Amino acid sequence: SFLKMFNNYLVKKNKEKEYVFNYLLPQNAVKAKINVQLDSVRIKNFEFKSFNSFSKTIAIDKDFIDVQFFPEGGKLIDGLTSIVGFKALDYKNEGAVAKGVIKDENNTIITEFKSNQLGMGFYQLKPDSNKSYHAEIFIDKNTTYKFKLPKIYEKGYVLTVKSSQDFFNLLLRSNFSKTDSLFIKAQARGITYYNSKVQCI
């Protein structure tokens, strides 16, 4: 049988004439990539450059899902209801259908949510800075993933945009003294459509 050290791991040929080596993957590994490179390729290229003759990515956890959260306006603000968009991705970094709930630190269900076929969706949340929140995504009866929600800021602004047939309605709210002026700019594809100073009341 053929024996060779491969990055400190023993490679050997079994009875089925397959080359086998044992490698311990990290506990939370989602996928692993293996590259096989022939010494003769390096020789043919005069040691100048090496090439991989074979490469394969293997899915370790096909049920894996990652969820990213995007509060409208950029931040979650204490006491102000926000629309929170989300996107769910599978182990191939493609959109995945996901459903779940938002819970507080006492495991009380605050709201439910479900994505579309592309893995995108939204829900509403009125955060309390004295609490912590997380999302639980259900894959099946035995598999649940937990994700911490973005940081809650004690003070700030929440921006909400609603579109109608002819207009965009913009609502800007704050949870502290409204003495400052703000500049609002609407821009798309490098073109500015609106730029104005507004007075908070």
Side-chain angles (χ1 to χ4, degrees), residues 28-47:
N28 297 323
V30 176
K31 42 189 177 177
K33 186 174 183 180
I34 185 169
N35 294 313
V36 177
Q37 181 176 299
L38 301 176
D39 287 339
S40 58
V41 174
R42 289 204 304 271
I43 294 170
K44 289 178 183 178
N45 286 278
F46 305 104
E47 298 287 349

Side-chain angles (χ1 to χ4, degrees), residues 25-194:
L25 292 170
Q27 185 176 1
N28 297 323
V30 176
K31 42 189 177 177
K33 186 174 183 180
I34 185 169
N35 294 313
V36 177
Q37 181 176 299
L38 301 176
D39 287 339
S40 58
V41 174
R42 289 204 304 271
I43 294 170
K44 289 178 183 178
N45 286 278
F46 305 104
E47 298 287 349
F48 176 71
K49 193 173 184 180
S50 61
F51 297 89
N52 294 324
S53 60
F54 175 79
S55 177
K56 185 175 180 65
T57 299
I58 303 166
I60 306 300
D61 182 4
K62 290 186 177 181
D63 290 330
F64 171 82
I65 195 165
D66 183 33
V67 182
Q68 302 166 345
F69 299 96
F70 308 98
E72 189 174 22
K75 296 178 180 178
L76 291 175
I77 307 298
D78 180 41
L80 299 179
T81 301
S82 294
I83 295 174
V84 182
F86 67 89
K87 184 169 185 178
L89 301 171
D90 64 13
Y91 73 98
K92 296 182 286 187
N93 287 328
E94 296 177 354
V97 175
K99 65 178 180 178
V101 295
I102 302 297
K103 291 183 176 182
D104 64 15
E105 72 277 11
N106 298 316
N107 276 330
T108 302
I109 295 176
I110 307 301
T111 188
E112 299 179 357
F113 61 88
K114 185 178 181 180
S115 75
N116 60 18
Q117 294 294 336
L118 300 175
M120 295 182 287
F122 65 90
Y123 59 88
Q124 287 190 337
L125 178 67
K126 185 177 182 179
D128 182 340
S129 61
N130 295 316
K131 294 185 176 183
S132 60
Y133 302 90
H134 66 275
E136 292 186 4
I137 308 292
F138 309 121
I139 302 301
D140 54 41
K141 292 180 180 179
N142 300 318
T143 309
T144 301
Y145 286 92
K146 291 185 180 182
F147 300 91
K148 188 176 180 181
L149 265 59
K151 176 183 175 181
I152 301 169
Y153 290 82
E154 291 186 5
K155 293 182 180 180
Y157 297 91
V158 168
L159 180 70
T160 303
V161 179
K162 294 182 180 180
S163 60
S164 61
Q165 186 172 354
D166 299 314
F167 298 97
F168 284 103
N169 297 312
L170 187 144
L171 176 63
L172 187 62
R173 291 171 293 136
S174 173
N175 65 350
F176 61 94
S177 179
K178 303 170 180 62
T179 57
D180 295 332
S181 297
L182 297 173
F183 286 91
I184 296 178
K185 184 176 184 179
Q187 188 177 32
R189 295 175 182 159
I191 300 173
T192 299
Y193 292 94
Y194 182 83

